[in-house]
Amino acid sequence: MSSLGKKAAAALIGLVGIGFVVAGCGEFDVPSSATNGVENIRFFRDTRATLGPSYVEKVIKAEDGGTLTLNRYTIVIPPGALERNTRISISEPMPGYVLGDFGPEGIHFKKPVELSMTYQFLDLGGIQEDRLTIYWFNPETETWFDLLAHVDKETQTVTLEIDHYSRYALSDH
């Protein structure tokens, strides 16, 4: 098995191990009574038959900033947001679902970084676009936090500013 295949397998095992609910259109578990977040969120599935790659990385120069895109995710890093030139990555541990790992995990930015996710080609299962948001997963508490992202219906994107890299997912309030 390739190292990328091993990473994908490990990510999937990790997802199962912490009790994620992967639901397509229409079905999802009711969140538990977690005090500062929710344990389960709905994951939307891409309706395209052919999906793009599930991993991309690029060195971003600290003084220049840059953009990194993978399928439905775009990260815009402004000049000066990084301490030093850094290899930035985006991966999809469950290709076909809008769940992204952004790395290196735990990196904190000196300036806000823009994270956008498109919902074009997603089966929203009747969910209204206004209800879409981006969640952040806290591995210490194993809970998801609604980051109250902005929905742009014209471009079919959900966007917010983040201050660190971690795991993020598109879901609904």
Side-chain angles (χ1 to χ4, degrees), residues 133-136 145-150 160-162 168 173:
T133 190
I134 296 175
Y135 280 80
W136 163 65
F145 291 87
D146 184 345
L147 299 178
L148 304 175
H150 170 74
L160 61 90
E161 291 184 335
I162 59 174
Y168 296 92
H173 295 287

Side-chain angles (χ1 to χ4, degrees), residues 20-168:
F20 281 40
V21 174
V22 178
C25 136
E27 293 181 32
F28 66 101
D29 279 359
V30 175
S32 74
S33 59
T35 55
N36 293 326
V38 295
E39 290 181 0
N40 300 313
I41 62 172
R42 178 193 325 250
F43 291 95
F44 296 111
R45 184 159 179 69
D46 196 312
T47 59
R48 293 175 289 183
T50 304
L51 301 174
S54 61
Y55 181 83
V56 67
E57 66 179 33
K58 175 181 176 182
V59 174
I60 303 292
K61 292 183 178 180
E63 66 273 5
D64 297 337
T67 300
L68 186 61
T69 299
L70 174 70
N71 300 325
R72 61 196 62 79
Y73 314 97
T74 299
I75 291 288
V76 179
I77 300 172
L82 296 168
E83 291 284 333
R84 62 187 174 286
N85 297 351
T86 306
R87 184 175 305 279
I88 300 296
S89 66
I90 305 173
S91 65
E92 289 185 310
M94 296 176 358
Y97 291 91
V98 190
L99 168 69
D101 285 337
F102 299 85
E105 184 174 344
I107 190 172
H108 285 267
F109 301 107
K110 293 170 30 178
K111 294 180 180 179
V113 168
E114 184 180 276
L115 168 61
S116 295
M117 297 182 185
T118 181
Y119 54 89
Q120 183 180 22
F121 305 114
L122 295 183
D123 179 357
L124 298 179
I127 300 298
Q128 293 179 354
E129 294 168 279
D130 296 4
R131 299 217 17 97
L132 296 176
T133 190
I134 296 175
Y135 280 80
W136 163 65
F137 182 73
N138 182 336
E140 292 177 14
T141 61
E142 296 187 352
T143 53
W144 288 96
F145 291 87
D146 184 345
L147 299 178
L148 304 175
H150 170 74
V151 176
D152 184 331
K153 292 180 182 180
E154 188 174 313
T155 62
Q156 294 185 304
T157 58
V158 182
T159 304
L160 61 90
E161 291 184 335
I162 59 174
D163 64 358
H164 73 285
Y165 262 4
S166 187
R167 175 169 282 172
Y168 296 92

